[in-house]
Amino acid sequence: MTRAVMLAGLRKRLFDLALAARIAVAAVVRFGLAGAFRQLRAYLRDNRNVVAGAADRYVRRGRDTYAASALPPLASRAFLDYLVEEVATFNGRRLSPMVMALVSVSSRCPYRCRHCYAADQLRAEEAVPLDRIVAAVADVGRLGLPNVFLTGGEPMMRRDDLPAILAPARDAGVASWLVSTGFGMDRDALGALLPFGLAGVVISLDSRDPERTNAAKGHPEAFARATAAIRAASDIGLLVSVDCVAGPEVVDPAEYRSFLRFLASLGVHFVNFLPLQRTGGVLRHGVPAIGTDGFRRLEALMDASNRGRANRDLPIAYSPMVFEHTRGCVAGQQFVYVDPLGDVRPCPFLPEPAGNVRDVPLREIVERVRGGGERAGCYTAYEGLPAVTRLEGKPKAAAGAPEEGT
């Protein structure tokens, strides 16, 4: 498999021109000539469109080009279908099209991370039978989602079962990702999964400091395993993303840049910053969040690192909370979450399940989740940030929350 590289400068501009032409054709097919012009203009003039604030570079692997790990390859049929539906639903104030499912394939984990949102669902034995997990992944394909992220617990605890879990996604044309601590992820283990359609890995790594990482994850080999897994995945041509829980040290400008340079040296393509939410291990251990000021610094740091010639070799940085701060909550709209016990929820941070895949097919539960409409959003946990509601039009502050600039 070809190793991924960054696409920037003139090559990116030429790609964007060709992509714009393909988007225009797809919009004309969907809306007609005049309708396509009106729909695209309305969508792009709103600063909450999906391309607003995008990096000035892409990740290219073989013939595929990626703007983010959660989106299908740009210019692919899956991406064009998604974007045209996104334009239609956004302008029509309807629920967004789904792009992924986050499916826990194991309730076991060798670590006990202090910030783990699934800490309360971890068990010594597997809670969900293999056949129900395989059925849930097959339903991701039936629902037409382009991506499935397989998490846990630690998905490599089910290493021998992963080919059976990945196969239905591959057969349905769904890109599969493993969300992991890096445990058990050597070249042989990952290479064996390539024939089953594995597209990439998402490795949890919060710091470039080994001692800090090992302490946070409660294991003396956590840092070494995570970095070795990243190198192995990059070497065999997988896309590599890092999930980083954004603590106070990450939003220090010097440390932020040093961390991204460190990730680039390992072969990382994307980094996803996750501000802490008051759930799971965070509540149990009293892990400090970055606060509103820290969130705003993170937003500015990400915007700066995603642009400029000097940053072209750095991973593309993004954060779901930064996106939702402007866009509104997309839990249950653009994705759903199956937890380690099989409960299906709009996202890991909303406690009430809509059903369990041990008893009900995932595709039926997803209909219930999406029927619940839009949620409040994680950004409401940070005082001083305006909560937005996309379905009501332009962003507005939640009751009692200050407007921007006040």
Side-chain angles (χ1 to χ4, degrees):
M1 186 183 293
T2 305
R3 290 190 65 174
V5 297
M6 291 295 178
L7 184 70
L10 178 60
R11 290 195 304 156
K12 178 183 180 292
R13 289 194 289 272
L14 293 174
F15 178 88
D16 283 340
L17 288 173
L19 177 60
R22 296 197 64 180
I23 291 171
V25 170
V28 168
V29 171
R30 173 69 180 270
F31 305 116
L33 185 59
F37 177 78
R38 289 194 302 270
Q39 292 279 355
L40 290 174
R41 182 179 64 173
Y43 181 72
L44 293 174
R45 289 178 67 180
D46 193 306
N47 67 355
R48 294 166 294 155
N49 70 72
V50 75
V51 298
D56 67 356
R57 55 194 179 274
Y58 298 139
V59 175
R60 167 70 65 83
R61 185 184 64 180
R63 296 182 178 181
D64 291 329
T65 302
Y66 297 83
S69 58
L71 291 176
L74 302 175
S76 68
R77 183 75 260 167
F79 176 79
L80 294 172
D81 289 345
Y82 157 73
L83 186 60
V84 170
E85 183 64 18
E86 154 79 3
V87 169
T89 56
F90 188 92
N91 290 339
R93 305 294 190 262
R94 303 192 304 273
L95 290 179
S96 304
M98 297 186 69
V99 292
M100 69 173 185
L102 187 63
V103 179
S104 300
V105 300
S106 177
S107 53
R108 295 181 294 154
C109 185
Y111 300 158
R112 288 298 180 267
C113 302
R114 289 168 54 84
H115 54 259
C116 178
Y117 58 72
D120 296 335
Q121 289 96 45
L122 298 181
R123 300 290 186 269
E125 304 293 336
E126 296 296 355
V128 183
L130 176 62
D131 65 319
R132 302 316 305 156
I133 293 174
V134 171
V137 173
D139 275 350
V140 172
R142 295 187 183 99
L143 289 164
L145 277 62
N147 294 289
V148 61
F149 288 75
L150 305 176
T151 182
E154 168 53 59
M156 293 303 288
M157 297 295 285
R158 255 181 156 151
R159 173 174 172 170
D160 293 341
D161 296 331
L162 284 176
I165 295 170
L166 290 165
R170 175 202 59 192
D171 296 344
V174 178
S176 298
W177 295 70
L178 290 179
V179 184
S180 171
T181 61
F183 173 82
M185 274 193 171
D186 55 31
R187 287 176 63 105
D188 290 342
L190 291 172
L193 299 177
L194 292 179
F196 296 93
L198 183 64
V201 298
V202 182
I203 305 298
S204 173
L205 184 62
D206 308 324
S207 172
R208 62 191 178 96
D209 183 277
E211 291 185 5
R212 181 177 294 162
T213 300
N214 294 342
K217 294 186 178 300
H219 197 287
E221 298 179 16
F223 181 85
R225 287 173 174 173
T227 53
I230 290 170
R231 289 193 178 97
S234 181
D235 286 346
I236 67 173
L238 289 168
L239 295 170
V240 182
S241 181
V242 159
D243 272 355
C244 172
V245 173
E249 69 281 354
V250 171
V251 297
D252 173 78
E255 179 56 32
Y256 175 89
R257 187 157 186 84
S258 295
F259 182 58
L260 260 63
R261 285 175 176 160
F262 171 69
L263 295 182
S265 73
L266 296 178
V268 174
H269 308 115
F270 302 100
V271 55
N272 181 26
F273 289 102
L274 302 167
L276 290 170
Q277 302 299 325
R278 301 181 183 107
T279 185
V282 173
L283 285 178
R284 184 180 304 169
H285 299 288
V287 181
I290 60 175
T292 302
D293 289 343
F295 170 82
R296 293 191 184 279
R297 287 199 299 273
L298 174 62
E299 193 170 14
L301 288 168
M302 288 171 48
D303 185 65
S305 69
N306 280 341
R307 288 170 173 73
R309 184 182 295 272
N311 298 325
R312 287 181 179 174
D313 292 333
L314 296 180
I316 297 172
Y318 58 99
S319 169
M321 202 177 103
V322 169
F323 177 73
E324 292 188 1
H325 173 209
T326 300
R327 177 65 179 250
C329 182
V330 297
Q333 294 185 53
Q334 295 194 313
F335 73 98
V336 294
Y337 170 61
V338 182
D339 76 16
L341 303 182
D343 285 330
V344 181
R345 295 183 267 148
C347 87
F349 308 122
L350 293 173
E352 294 300 324
N356 192 292
V357 296
R358 289 177 294 182
D359 309 312
V360 182
L362 177 62
R363 61 185 182 277
E364 295 182 17
I365 304 174
V366 167
E367 293 178 4
R368 302 176 193 169
V369 173
R370 285 176 65 77
E374 193 170 57
R375 277 79 186 175
C378 290
Y379 40 78
T380 57
Y382 287 73
E383 296 178 0
L385 293 180
V388 301
T389 303
R390 184 178 72 84
L391 300 185
E392 293 181 1
K394 294 183 179 181
K396 58 180 68 175
E403 297 284 353
E404 289 281 9
T406 60

